[in-house]
Amino acid sequence: MSVKHSNRYKEIGIKISKYRNKKGLTQEQLANEIGISYSYLTQIEAPNVCKKMSLEVLFDIAEVLGVDVKELL
């Protein structure tokens, strides 16, 4: 993965964390709602980790958080 894309994944993770906290959900609650593991979500949100995710996961996260997927990009 190129550095350019690495930074984009990290930015998405930070935005997911922001909207999750705004909604009052824990990482475990969000992970359960979208059907992924808690550890996978923590990796997605970690600002020092670059974790790939599918569009399906991104769409599911946006839906549960009640935001348009564009807000996460």
Side-chain angles (χ1 to χ4, degrees), residues 50-63:
C50 177
K51 186 66 177 173
K52 292 181 182 181
M53 73 194 89
S54 70
L55 284 175
E56 188 74 22
V57 169
L58 187 62
F59 292 151
D60 288 345
I61 290 171
E63 184 178 313

Side-chain angles (χ1 to χ4, degrees), residues 20-73:
R20 177 184 56 74
N21 285 317
K22 191 174 181 179
K23 188 156 181 165
L25 294 172
T26 65
Q27 288 178 322
E28 189 171 11
Q29 289 170 323
L30 179 57
N32 287 336
E33 292 241 8
I34 62 173
I36 63 172
S37 71
Y38 166 76
S39 64
Y40 181 42
L41 182 61
T42 61
Q43 290 176 17
I44 289 172
E45 287 190 5
N48 59 339
V49 175
C50 177
K51 186 66 177 173
K52 292 181 182 181
M53 73 194 89
S54 70
L55 284 175
E56 188 74 22
V57 169
L58 187 62
F59 292 151
D60 288 345
I61 290 171
E63 184 178 313
V64 170
L65 296 178
V67 298
D68 191 300
V69 72
K70 292 182 284 187
E71 298 298 318
L72 301 177
L73 298 176

